[in-house]
Amino acid sequence: MAEEEEGLTDAPRVVVVLSALLERVVERNDAAADELSAAVPGAAASLVTPPSAFRATARPDISVRSYMARIARFAGCSPACYVVAYVYLDRLLRRGRRRSLAVDSYSVHRLLITGVLAAVKFMDDVCYNNAYFARVGGISLQEMNYLEVDFLFAVGFDLNVSPETFGHYCAVLQAEMLCLELEAGPRLQSCCLSEDDGATTTSSSSSQQQLAA
């Protein structure tokens, strides 16, 4: 566990920023689920944990930060893949609102490994196969294959990311990075963001360079 935590020190900044953002989202959603469970005993489980291939039956022991460090250490993908994976997660959540899939302790790990796998295959010329990613993610090959297919259908096979959209998400992550560095200022409240191509607040190239550092 300690080795995984330390691995983030050598990871691209985008990995550190994305893990910090998702950790807060998970904490907020876990707290909301616990509050609902306390308010509506018995009925809450069906309300906050709808059936999904991405939901584990128990909360994994590894933290989001450690899991991201493990992916960064072994996946060998470009920093841009993490930005694209973030875009895919946003699209999945937006399209899946009717299923109310929440990014919480039960789902975040499977969403992450599958999102990164999809991004790597779309972005990088060379990548490891599903069996390798399954070992990195701590799941079986059969489950990895199933999650990949379910993920692709969940995003409507919409894997293309325009330069404008990519630049927008880079800007969002860069703003989050500045908040982490300054330990002050407003923080992002949700991992669901609007894909407004005109909302880019900083250039894609400069943002990507800073996030990849």
Side-chain angles (χ1 to χ4, degrees), residues 67 69-77 82 113 116-117 120-121 126-142 144-145:
Y67 199 67
R70 178 177 175 81
I71 293 174
R73 180 181 179 186
F74 295 108
C77 57
Y82 297 103
I113 191 65
V116 172
L117 172 64
V120 169
K121 287 188 174 183
V126 179
C127 65
Y128 293 109
N129 59 23
N130 284 27
Y132 182 85
F133 268 87
R135 291 195 296 273
V136 173
I139 58 179
S140 67
L141 173 58
Q142 182 180 9
M144 186 77 265
N145 291 338

Side-chain angles (χ1 to χ4, degrees), residues 5-34:
E5 296 282 355
E6 293 175 359
L8 277 179
T9 60
D10 299 323
R13 288 187 179 183
V14 63
V15 175
V16 180
V17 174
L18 186 56
S19 64
L21 187 152
L22 289 176
E23 277 182 338
R24 285 201 308 281
V25 173
V26 166
E27 290 174 1
R28 185 177 67 250
N29 288 335
D30 282 351
D34 291 341

Side-chain angles (χ1 to χ4, degrees), residues 9-209:
T9 60
D10 299 323
R13 288 187 179 183
V14 63
V15 175
V16 180
V17 174
L18 186 56
S19 64
L21 187 152
L22 289 176
E23 277 182 338
R24 285 201 308 281
V25 173
V26 166
E27 290 174 1
R28 185 177 67 250
N29 288 335
D30 282 351
D34 291 341
E35 182 178 348
L36 179 58
S37 180
V40 190
S46 61
L47 292 174
V48 300
T49 58
S52 172
F54 296 102
R55 292 195 64 82
T57 56
R59 292 181 179 181
D61 294 331
I62 186 170
S63 68
V64 175
R65 187 178 298 270
S66 296
Y67 199 67
M68 284 291 291
R70 178 177 175 81
I71 293 174
R73 180 181 179 186
F74 295 108
C77 57
S78 62
C81 288
Y82 297 103
V83 179
V84 172
Y86 180 34
V87 176
Y88 291 168
L89 289 176
D90 196 354
R91 290 176 178 175
L92 181 147
L93 293 170
R94 287 180 175 278
R95 292 177 63 91
R97 277 179 177 174
R98 285 179 295 181
R99 295 186 300 169
S100 300
L101 175 63
V103 179
D104 57 19
S105 295
Y106 292 91
S107 65
V108 65
H109 301 83
R110 283 172 168 76
L111 287 171
L112 271 173
I113 191 65
T114 313
V116 172
L117 172 64
V120 169
K121 287 188 174 183
F122 190 81
M123 293 290 294
D124 290 354
D125 295 329
V126 179
C127 65
Y128 293 109
N129 59 23
N130 284 27
Y132 182 85
F133 268 87
R135 291 195 296 273
V136 173
I139 58 179
S140 67
L141 173 58
Q142 182 180 9
E143 187 174 13
M144 186 77 265
N145 291 338
Y146 183 82
L147 288 174
E148 180 185 22
V149 173
D150 196 67
F151 190 93
L152 292 175
F153 274 98
V155 298
F157 291 87
D158 183 14
L159 300 179
N160 186 57
V161 178
S162 68
E164 293 80 12
T165 297
F166 184 85
H168 169 63
Y169 278 82
C170 278
V172 170
L173 291 171
Q174 184 186 36
E176 175 70 6
M177 179 181 69
L178 293 175
C179 288
L180 290 174
E181 290 178 346
L182 297 174
E183 296 183 350
R187 290 185 178 272
L188 301 178
Q189 296 299 314
S190 173
C191 70
C192 291
L193 303 169
S194 172
E195 293 186 21
D196 182 358
D197 288 350
T200 305
T201 57
T202 187
S203 70
S204 173
S205 58
S206 62
S207 296
Q208 185 177 354
Q209 290 174 359

